[in-house]
Each structure stands twice: as C-alpha cells, then as structure tokens.
Amino acid sequence: MARLNTGSSIYVVFGRKKAKIPVNPEEVEIQYPTNHKTYDVLGIGQVIIPRKPSLKMVSWEGFFPEDLGAPYVNSGAESSGSYVRQFEKALKKEQKCRLIIVRSGAYDTNMKCVVSDFQTKDKGGEPGDIYYSVKLTEYRPFAPDTVTIIEENPGPAGGEPAAEAAVEAPREVESPVLRVGAPVIVNGAYCYDSYGSKPHGTANNLNTTVTRIVSGNPYPVHVGHYGWVQESQLQITG
C-alpha cells in the first residue's frame, strides 16, 4: 500500500476527458504480479525461470463528495454523479483509459489501463456523498503481424485470380498525455516558480521536456532547466 500526501494528485483520462479524483484516498495499492515458473530438477531441486511481468494492477477506495467547497476537496473537482457516469461508461464501452498519479517529491505513475472493477455505496447520514472502490488493470497495446503475399506470375485470363495482399489491421494511436518526461514545444513566458513569480524568460518554439508537475498552482509545469509554465503553453510531441 502507498499512502498519498497532500501534494499528490490522481487523474484518470477517459478519451479526451481528464478527470481529477476529488479527494485523495488514504491508500493506493499497486500490484506488480509476475509469471515466473518453478520446476523440480533432478539433482538440483526446485529452480525458478523468470518470465516477463504480468499486468500491473492499481486499486483504491474513496468517495466522491457532494460539497465541492470542503477544505479536503481538490481543486477542479466535479459533481459526484459525473465521476460515476464516466467510470460506468468506461466499463460499458470497453474504454481504454490512462491513470496518472503525480506525487510530490517522489516517483510518478503513468499507466494505460482498463477499468476492471468499479463499485459504489451510499451511506446513511451522508446524503450526496458516493463511496466507491475501483480497480484498474494495465493495458498493453498489441497488433498481429501481417504478411503481404505477392504473386509473381499472375494466372492466365479467366483462370484463378491473383492472391490479394493481406491488409494490416489498423493500429491504435495514443493521444499524447502531459507527464514527467514528455517531450514538448514551449511558447510564452516561463517563471521563476510555480506561483508565477518573476518571469525571467520567453520561449519561442522551445523544444524541451517536462521535468516536474505540481497540481493546483497557476504555473504547474516545470520544463527543462528553464522554469515554470502553464499547460496551455505546451504542445506535447510524444
């Protein structure tokens, strides 16, 4: 279990909709399962053969508040019903999402995933608040290999038609997501800190990378060794 501090934020990207979890859960569980195989070898005993890791799983429990003005609610929170509708839609439409956990002063999590389980619960005496649990499982894009068949000597007129070339299945194209390490093009003034103090430079189609993200501040994104900018000043290139 990982405990989130007050400077951390959790986002779930549903298509082009980036939803910020309104109240940080007390704990977030991240599982890193493996698919290692063990065998009994004569004269040696038990041995293990390492395999590639299985799909990562992230889960937590929390609640969507009715009172968006409460001090424990993160900025940018939406109504409790809107979160339920987005998770339900992701389940029904078999939608692929992206989980982003931004931790203050620690490592970040950025994982393409699907919603494996989502449950809600109403509690007496807390009208409007919706308690929930969610489990997200890592999604790994895949596409089958294709072979193109070319017939060098087409058959005579009226004979067997030439074999058609196999058509490659369309590959999924991911939308760029703002994250630490993302390559970006920056335009406009960059500032000394994330509060916008002392602008000390202007970027003009500057190619660099995102080095830090601090949610809730006016200039939340730090780029390269230059300074802090707004998300609207960035073009994500990869």
Side-chain angles (χ1 to χ4, degrees), residues 2-9 24-26 74 102-106:
R3 185 177 297 273
L4 295 181
N5 58 37
T6 55
S8 302
S9 299
N24 286 354
E26 183 177 352
N74 294 324
V102 180
R103 299 174 177 84
S104 177

Side-chain angles (χ1 to χ4, degrees), residues 11 17-23 63-70 72-80 82-83 86:
Y11 301 88
K17 172 66 174 178
K18 184 178 181 181
K20 183 178 183 180
I21 298 301
V23 179
F63 75 101
F64 302 129
E66 175 70 13
D67 182 8
L68 301 183
Y72 52 80
V73 178
N74 294 324
S75 60
E78 303 176 16
S79 65
S80 55
S82 68
Y83 292 99
Q86 289 178 86

